[in-house]
Amino acid sequence: LRKVDDNIILRMNSTNTASADECLALFRVLQTAYARREHDISYCVSVLDERLAQSPKSFSLQSQRDWIDSEKSVEDIVRKRSLDVFRSRCKYFDFPGDIEDFIQRK
């Protein structure tokens, strides 16, 4: 799921970072990957919460829920790292308002 982030430096090296269009295209790839992972994590949380409501004392389910919570923290770290690399290379790229909202999400 994090292949785009894992390869961000390689992708930035092959992107014309002086081009706002190329930076925007790369950012849209990142944005799509983030949205997909966020959706997947939210889905897992909702499924586990439903199951925990039915079996609140299930250690296995609670362990899985804790693991998903840690994945949300990892996701925030990975996103920050990738966006820091993106911003350092696409210095002159002006983020549209909707993208700024997306970046600032918590």
Side-chain angles (χ1 to χ4, degrees), residues 33-43 79 102 105:
Y34 297 155
R36 179 175 169 227
R37 291 195 307 254
E38 195 168 314
H39 174 269
D40 292 349
I41 289 170
S42 294
Y43 174 77
R79 183 182 291 206
F102 178 80
R105 84 97 181 107

Side-chain angles (χ1 to χ4, degrees), residues 33-94:
Y34 297 155
R36 179 175 169 227
R37 291 195 307 254
E38 195 168 314
H39 174 269
D40 292 349
I41 289 170
S42 294
Y43 174 77
C44 290
V45 166
S46 67
V47 168
L48 286 169
D49 285 348
E50 284 179 22
R51 290 181 182 171
L52 277 167
Q54 296 169 357
S55 303
K57 297 192 187 270
S58 171
F59 179 74
S60 175
L61 289 174
Q62 188 58 53
S63 295
Q64 290 174 25
R65 182 63 169 84
D66 293 344
W67 177 73
I68 292 294
D69 281 339
S70 69
E71 276 300 304
K72 289 194 283 188
S73 297
V74 170
E75 181 63 22
D76 288 341
I77 293 166
V78 168
R79 183 182 291 206
K80 181 184 181 322
R81 179 188 152 265
S82 295
L83 289 173
D84 287 347
V85 169
F86 181 87
R87 284 184 169 141
S88 74
R89 299 287 180 92
C90 287
K91 294 177 185 175
Y92 306 108
F93 178 69
D94 291 324

Side-chain angles (χ1 to χ4, degrees), residues 12-31:
M12 292 304 299
N13 287 340
S14 65
T15 298
N16 176 4
T17 57
S19 166
D21 290 338
E22 287 194 38
C23 285
L24 179 60
L26 178 58
F27 185 81
R28 293 293 185 197
V29 170
L30 287 170
Q31 188 178 27

